């Protein structure tokens, strides 16, 4: 039985994708104060269309975060043919997407803005980012981990704990350092190390949770 979910890109039409990309660009440029008017102007569409598609500003923000999080794709595996090689490829693909996305300027800006809003209890952006970013991304990998456990390639009592471990091994302190503007770590340096970081994190995860068949 193949394991997959609907690709998020298919959730939005090409025109909606263009609108959400425009919204992300505005967030990067302005950080705060994203408005329906500004998005409509940038995307060359009417505010009426935005309200029809997304409901309100929170709906637009939710779709925007979902569109950004869609860059971290759910690996496709076949339960009937899941082996060590396929598992490693899936883990590395997920880790690569995750790192590439979270160290990007869009994600850094989104998270900085969401943290500021949450601290000021300004609006629901923090909740929107949490639920449609990290928590949604988590749901994409956990079925793979559980399938690998069923195939006796991984051993763990909780897929939630296993995911948190993998996430920590992949992300380490890179995201928080970028969020805080650590001058010793630039985006270009982080990007240059992605492949090495992905391999090391996957090796460490399999060393922790892999059965003899996976090592």
């Amino acid at each position: 039985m193949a394991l997959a979910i609907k690709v998020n890109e298919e959730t939005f039409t090409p025109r909606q994708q263009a609108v959400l990309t425009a919204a992300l660009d505005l967030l990067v440029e302005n950080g705060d104060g994203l408005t329906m008017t500004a998005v409509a102007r940038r995307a060359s569409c009417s505010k009426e269309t935005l309200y029809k598609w997304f409901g309100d500003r929170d709906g637009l923000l939710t779709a925007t975060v979902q569109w950004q999080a869609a860059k971290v794709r759910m690996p496709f595996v076949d339960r009937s043919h899941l082996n060590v090689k396929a598992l490693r490829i899936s883990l590395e693909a997920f880790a690569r997407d995750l790192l590439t996305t979270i160290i990007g300027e869009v994600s850094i800006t989104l998270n900085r803005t969401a943290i500021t809003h949450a601290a000021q209890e300004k609006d629901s952006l923090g909740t929107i980012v949490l639920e449609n970013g990290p928590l949604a991304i988590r749901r994409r990998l956990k079925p793979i981990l559980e399938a690998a456990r069923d195939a006796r390639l991984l051993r763990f009592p909780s897929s939630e704990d296993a995911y948190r471990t993998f996430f920590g091994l992949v992300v380490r302190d890179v995201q928080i350092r970028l969020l805080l503007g650590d001058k010793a770590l630039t985006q270009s340096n982080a990007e240059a190390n992605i492949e090495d970081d992905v391999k090391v994190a996957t090796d460490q995860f399999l060393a922790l949770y892999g059965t003899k068949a996976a090592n």
Side-chain angles (χ1 to χ4, degrees):
M1 172 181 162
L3 208 70
I5 60 171
K6 187 176 183 181
V7 179
N8 281 23
E9 283 84 344
E10 295 175 2
T11 303
F12 303 109
T13 67
R15 184 68 183 110
Q16 289 170 334
Q17 292 175 23
V19 169
L20 296 174
T21 299
L24 287 171
D25 290 342
L26 284 169
L27 278 169
V28 170
E29 293 170 16
N30 303 322
D32 204 352
L34 184 73
T35 66
M36 302 292 264
T37 300
V39 174
R41 185 181 301 116
R42 175 64 65 91
S44 300
C45 69
S46 68
K47 285 199 296 182
E48 289 74 15
T49 297
L50 294 184
Y51 284 112
K52 177 181 177 182
W53 284 344
F54 306 113
D56 56 15
R57 181 176 178 274
D58 276 1
L60 174 62
L61 284 170
T62 298
T64 300
V65 175
Q66 289 173 338
W67 176 234
Q68 174 68 5
K71 296 173 183 176
V72 184
R73 295 160 292 186
M74 178 176 178
F76 182 90
V77 299
D78 189 332
R79 280 183 179 271
S80 61
H81 297 93
L82 182 57
N83 54 31
V84 177
K85 181 179 179 181
L87 175 61
R88 178 177 288 277
I89 289 172
S90 294
L91 290 174
E92 289 185 351
F94 183 89
R96 188 177 298 109
D97 281 355
L98 179 61
L99 269 178
T100 301
T101 301
I102 67 170
I103 68 175
E105 191 174 12
V106 170
S107 287
I108 295 300
T109 301
L110 266 175
N111 280 284
R112 280 178 179 159
T113 305
I115 290 168
T116 300
H117 283 210
Q120 298 173 350
E121 298 184 352
K122 194 170 181 179
D123 58 22
S124 56
L125 181 59
T127 301
I128 289 171
V129 170
L130 179 63
E131 292 180 351
N132 296 280
L135 297 183
I137 289 171
R138 179 182 305 171
R139 289 192 291 270
R140 290 174 202 158
L141 186 64
K142 284 172 66 174
I144 306 298
L145 300 179
E146 290 162 1
R149 180 179 58 186
D150 293 344
R152 304 192 180 207
L153 298 174
L154 296 177
R155 181 172 54 247
F156 51 78
S158 164
S159 59
E160 176 67 18
D161 290 344
Y163 174 82
R164 287 175 181 270
T165 300
F166 187 59
F167 182 90
L169 291 170
V170 173
V171 177
R172 297 170 294 116
D173 64 348
V174 172
Q175 186 181 39
I176 189 64
R177 289 173 65 191
L178 289 172
L179 281 169
L180 295 175
D182 184 351
K183 296 187 183 305
L185 179 67
T186 65
Q187 272 182 284
S188 58
N189 288 340
E191 289 169 357
N193 292 328
I194 284 177
E195 288 304 320
D196 288 342
D197 291 343
V198 163
K199 185 178 185 308
V200 169
T202 303
D203 286 344
Q204 292 172 334
F205 181 76
L206 291 176
L208 287 169
Y209 291 103
T211 61
K212 289 182 179 180
N215 293 298

